[in-house]
PDB file of all heavy atoms in Angstrom:
ATOM      1  N   LYS A 221      14.469  72.470 -46.809  1.00  0.00           N
ATOM      2  CA  LYS A 221      15.751  72.322 -47.502  1.00  0.00           C
ATOM      3  C   LYS A 221      15.557  71.508 -48.772  1.00  0.00           C
ATOM      4  O   LYS A 221      14.757  70.584 -48.816  1.00  0.00           O
ATOM      5  CB  LYS A 221      16.750  71.648 -46.571  1.00  0.00           C
ATOM      6  CG  LYS A 221      17.189  72.627 -45.500  1.00  0.00           C
ATOM      7  CD  LYS A 221      18.277  72.096 -44.627  1.00  0.00           C
ATOM      8  CE  LYS A 221      18.709  73.209 -43.667  1.00  0.00           C
ATOM      9  NZ  LYS A 221      19.254  72.693 -42.409  1.00  0.00           N
ATOM     10  N   PHE A 227      20.882  64.227 -63.507  1.00  0.00           N
ATOM     11  CA  PHE A 227      20.997  62.887 -64.058  1.00  0.00           C
ATOM     12  C   PHE A 227      21.439  62.962 -65.519  1.00  0.00           C
ATOM     13  O   PHE A 227      21.051  63.882 -66.238  1.00  0.00           O
ATOM     14  CB  PHE A 227      19.651  62.150 -64.021  1.00  0.00           C
ATOM     15  CG  PHE A 227      19.149  61.863 -62.630  1.00  0.00           C
ATOM     16  CD1 PHE A 227      18.134  62.628 -62.078  1.00  0.00           C
ATOM     17  CD2 PHE A 227      19.693  60.836 -61.881  1.00  0.00           C
ATOM     18  CE1 PHE A 227      17.655  62.368 -60.802  1.00  0.00           C
ATOM     19  CE2 PHE A 227      19.228  60.566 -60.599  1.00  0.00           C
ATOM     20  CZ  PHE A 227      18.212  61.335 -60.051  1.00  0.00           C
ATOM     21  N   ARG A 270      31.738  73.937 -63.735  1.00  0.00           N
ATOM     22  CA  ARG A 270      32.369  72.627 -63.815  1.00  0.00           C
ATOM     23  C   ARG A 270      31.576  71.672 -64.689  1.00  0.00           C
ATOM     24  O   ARG A 270      30.348  71.693 -64.696  1.00  0.00           O
ATOM     25  CB  ARG A 270      32.413  71.994 -62.417  1.00  0.00           C
ATOM     26  CG  ARG A 270      33.471  72.522 -61.526  1.00  0.00           C
ATOM     27  CD  ARG A 270      33.440  71.762 -60.225  1.00  0.00           C
ATOM     28  NE  ARG A 270      32.459  72.315 -59.298  1.00  0.00           N
ATOM     29  CZ  ARG A 270      32.116  71.741 -58.148  1.00  0.00           C
ATOM     30  NH1 ARG A 270      32.625  70.581 -57.809  1.00  0.00           N
ATOM     31  NH2 ARG A 270      31.247  72.306 -57.349  1.00  0.00           N
ATOM     32  N   GLU A 292      17.494  56.881 -50.789  1.00  0.00           N
ATOM     33  CA  GLU A 292      18.560  55.968 -51.189  1.00  0.00           C
ATOM     34  C   GLU A 292      18.053  54.773 -52.001  1.00  0.00           C
ATOM     35  O   GLU A 292      18.590  54.473 -53.068  1.00  0.00           O
ATOM     36  CB  GLU A 292      19.213  55.459 -49.914  1.00  0.00           C
ATOM     37  CG  GLU A 292      20.662  55.180 -50.036  1.00  0.00           C
ATOM     38  CD  GLU A 292      21.165  54.767 -48.672  1.00  0.00           C
ATOM     39  OE1 GLU A 292      21.156  55.602 -47.747  1.00  0.00           O
ATOM     40  OE2 GLU A 292      21.503  53.600 -48.543  1.00  0.00           O
ATOM     41  N   GLY A 307      24.609  60.088 -62.382  1.00  0.00           N
ATOM     42  CA  GLY A 307      23.903  61.124 -61.629  1.00  0.00           C
ATOM     43  C   GLY A 307      24.805  61.750 -60.591  1.00  0.00           C
ATOM     44  O   GLY A 307      25.761  61.127 -60.135  1.00  0.00           O
ATOM     45  N   GLN A 311      26.199  68.741 -52.965  1.00  0.00           N
ATOM     46  CA  GLN A 311      26.574  68.528 -51.569  1.00  0.00           C
ATOM     47  C   GLN A 311      26.504  69.802 -50.740  1.00  0.00           C
ATOM     48  O   GLN A 311      26.735  69.761 -49.539  1.00  0.00           O
ATOM     49  CB  GLN A 311      28.000  67.959 -51.501  1.00  0.00           C
ATOM     50  CG  GLN A 311      28.171  66.603 -52.156  1.00  0.00           C
ATOM     51  CD  GLN A 311      27.367  65.535 -51.465  1.00  0.00           C
ATOM     52  OE1 GLN A 311      27.386  65.420 -50.255  1.00  0.00           O
ATOM     53  NE2 GLN A 311      26.618  64.755 -52.232  1.00  0.00           N
ATOM     54  N   PRO A 313      24.851  74.205 -50.748  1.00  0.00           N
ATOM     55  CA  PRO A 313      24.043  75.188 -51.470  1.00  0.00           C
ATOM     56  C   PRO A 313      24.777  75.744 -52.695  1.00  0.00           C
ATOM     57  O   PRO A 313      24.156  76.004 -53.725  1.00  0.00           O
ATOM     58  CB  PRO A 313      23.799  76.279 -50.431  1.00  0.00           C
ATOM     59  CG  PRO A 313      23.919  75.588 -49.114  1.00  0.00           C
ATOM     60  CD  PRO A 313      24.961  74.525 -49.303  1.00  0.00           C
ATOM     61  N   GLU A 315      27.001  74.178 -54.584  1.00  0.00           N
ATOM     62  CA  GLU A 315      26.959  73.175 -55.653  1.00  0.00           C
ATOM     63  C   GLU A 315      25.573  73.114 -56.274  1.00  0.00           C
ATOM     64  O   GLU A 315      25.425  72.944 -57.487  1.00  0.00           O
ATOM     65  CB  GLU A 315      27.349  71.789 -55.124  1.00  0.00           C
ATOM     66  CG  GLU A 315      28.829  71.534 -55.197  1.00  0.00           C
ATOM     67  CD  GLU A 315      29.211  70.058 -54.991  1.00  0.00           C
ATOM     68  OE1 GLU A 315      28.320  69.171 -54.900  1.00  0.00           O
ATOM     69  OE2 GLU A 315      30.406  69.813 -54.924  1.00  0.00           O
ATOM     70  N   ASP A 318      25.359  75.877 -58.599  1.00  0.00           N
ATOM     71  CA  ASP A 318      26.137  75.579 -59.815  1.00  0.00           C
ATOM     72  C   ASP A 318      25.348  74.678 -60.764  1.00  0.00           C
ATOM     73  O   ASP A 318      25.331  74.886 -61.975  1.00  0.00           O
ATOM     74  CB  ASP A 318      27.461  74.894 -59.467  1.00  0.00           C
ATOM     75  CG  ASP A 318      28.518  75.891 -59.024  1.00  0.00           C
ATOM     76  OD1 ASP A 318      28.227  77.103 -59.061  1.00  0.00           O
ATOM     77  OD2 ASP A 318      29.614  75.452 -58.645  1.00  0.00           O
TER      78      ASP A 318
ATOM     79  N   ASP B  12      28.536  77.398 -43.736  1.00  0.00           N
ATOM     80  CA  ASP B  12      28.306  77.949 -45.073  1.00  0.00           C
ATOM     81  C   ASP B  12      28.509  79.468 -45.044  1.00  0.00           C
ATOM     82  O   ASP B  12      27.836  80.165 -44.291  1.00  0.00           O
ATOM     83  CB  ASP B  12      26.866  77.604 -45.489  1.00  0.00           C
ATOM     84  CG  ASP B  12      26.537  78.112 -46.890  1.00  0.00           C
ATOM     85  OD1 ASP B  12      27.363  78.836 -47.476  1.00  0.00           O
ATOM     86  OD2 ASP B  12      25.453  77.781 -47.387  1.00  0.00           O
ATOM     87  N   GLU B  31      23.969  75.897 -41.451  1.00  0.00           N
ATOM     88  CA  GLU B  31      24.191  75.053 -42.628  1.00  0.00           C
ATOM     89  C   GLU B  31      25.697  74.896 -42.806  1.00  0.00           C
ATOM     90  O   GLU B  31      26.436  75.873 -42.777  1.00  0.00           O
ATOM     91  CB  GLU B  31      23.565  75.713 -43.849  1.00  0.00           C
ATOM     92  CG  GLU B  31      23.691  74.949 -45.134  1.00  0.00           C
ATOM     93  CD  GLU B  31      22.498  74.043 -45.424  1.00  0.00           C
ATOM     94  OE1 GLU B  31      21.369  74.352 -44.978  1.00  0.00           O
ATOM     95  OE2 GLU B  31      22.708  73.029 -46.099  1.00  0.00           O
ATOM     96  N   GLN B  73      30.140  61.855 -47.642  1.00  0.00           N
ATOM     97  CA  GLN B  73      29.579  62.435 -48.867  1.00  0.00           C
ATOM     98  C   GLN B  73      30.565  63.327 -49.609  1.00  0.00           C
ATOM     99  O   GLN B  73      30.510  63.435 -50.821  1.00  0.00           O
ATOM    100  CB  GLN B  73      28.301  63.209 -48.537  1.00  0.00           C
ATOM    101  CG  GLN B  73      27.259  62.284 -47.936  1.00  0.00           C
ATOM    102  CD  GLN B  73      25.867  62.852 -48.018  1.00  0.00           C
ATOM    103  OE1 GLN B  73      25.668  63.984 -48.381  1.00  0.00           O
ATOM    104  NE2 GLN B  73      24.888  62.029 -47.668  1.00  0.00           N
ATOM    105  N   ARG B  78      33.327  60.782 -53.401  1.00  0.00           N
ATOM    106  CA  ARG B  78      34.084  61.232 -54.572  1.00  0.00           C
ATOM    107  C   ARG B  78      35.134  60.202 -54.990  1.00  0.00           C
ATOM    108  O   ARG B  78      35.724  60.335 -56.057  1.00  0.00           O
ATOM    109  CB  ARG B  78      34.766  62.569 -54.288  1.00  0.00           C
ATOM    110  CG  ARG B  78      33.804  63.759 -54.301  1.00  0.00           C
ATOM    111  CD  ARG B  78      34.589  65.054 -54.128  1.00  0.00           C
ATOM    112  NE  ARG B  78      33.815  66.211 -54.523  1.00  0.00           N
ATOM    113  CZ  ARG B  78      33.324  67.120 -53.669  1.00  0.00           C
ATOM    114  NH1 ARG B  78      33.523  66.997 -52.386  1.00  0.00           N
ATOM    115  NH2 ARG B  78      32.628  68.150 -54.113  1.00  0.00           N
ATOM    116  N   PRO B 184      37.316  70.610 -58.223  1.00  0.00           N
ATOM    117  CA  PRO B 184      36.779  69.395 -57.592  1.00  0.00           C
ATOM    118  C   PRO B 184      35.613  68.809 -58.371  1.00  0.00           C
ATOM    119  O   PRO B 184      34.799  69.552 -58.918  1.00  0.00           O
ATOM    120  CB  PRO B 184      36.308  69.889 -56.219  1.00  0.00           C
ATOM    121  CG  PRO B 184      37.046  71.156 -55.984  1.00  0.00           C
ATOM    122  CD  PRO B 184      37.264  71.766 -57.334  1.00  0.00           C
ATOM    123  N   SER B 188      29.248  61.671 -57.373  1.00  0.00           N
ATOM    124  CA  SER B 188      28.254  60.983 -58.194  1.00  0.00           C
ATOM    125  C   SER B 188      27.324  60.167 -57.299  1.00  0.00           C
ATOM    126  O   SER B 188      27.694  59.775 -56.186  1.00  0.00           O
ATOM    127  CB  SER B 188      28.946  60.074 -59.213  1.00  0.00           C
ATOM    128  OG  SER B 188      29.444  58.929 -58.554  1.00  0.00           O
ATOM    129  N   LEU B 189      26.128  59.913 -57.788  1.00  0.00           N
ATOM    130  CA  LEU B 189      25.175  59.114 -57.006  1.00  0.00           C
ATOM    131  C   LEU B 189      25.721  57.715 -56.792  1.00  0.00           C
ATOM    132  O   LEU B 189      25.556  57.131 -55.720  1.00  0.00           O
ATOM    133  CB  LEU B 189      23.825  59.063 -57.723  1.00  0.00           C
ATOM    134  CG  LEU B 189      23.066  60.385 -57.725  1.00  0.00           C
ATOM    135  CD1 LEU B 189      21.830  60.287 -58.595  1.00  0.00           C
ATOM    136  CD2 LEU B 189      22.692  60.797 -56.318  1.00  0.00           C
ATOM    137  N   LYS B 196      28.556  54.437 -48.727  1.00  0.00           N
ATOM    138  CA  LYS B 196      27.867  53.901 -47.539  1.00  0.00           C
ATOM    139  C   LYS B 196      28.568  52.658 -47.015  1.00  0.00           C
ATOM    140  O   LYS B 196      28.495  52.347 -45.837  1.00  0.00           O
ATOM    141  CB  LYS B 196      26.421  53.514 -47.884  1.00  0.00           C
ATOM    142  CG  LYS B 196      25.645  54.599 -48.575  1.00  0.00           C
ATOM    143  CD  LYS B 196      24.795  55.373 -47.613  1.00  0.00           C
ATOM    144  CE  LYS B 196      24.080  56.469 -48.363  1.00  0.00           C
ATOM    145  NZ  LYS B 196      23.594  57.526 -47.509  1.00  0.00           N
TER     146      LYS B 196
END
Side-chain angles (χ1 to χ4, degrees):
Chain A
K221 287 186 175 153
F227 294 103
R270 283 183 275 172
E292 212 177 294
Q311 297 296 313
E315 271 194 6
D318 279 356
Chain B
D12 181 353
E31 181 93 28
Q73 299 199 352
R78 285 185 163 109
S188 75
L189 290 173
K196 309 263 178 199

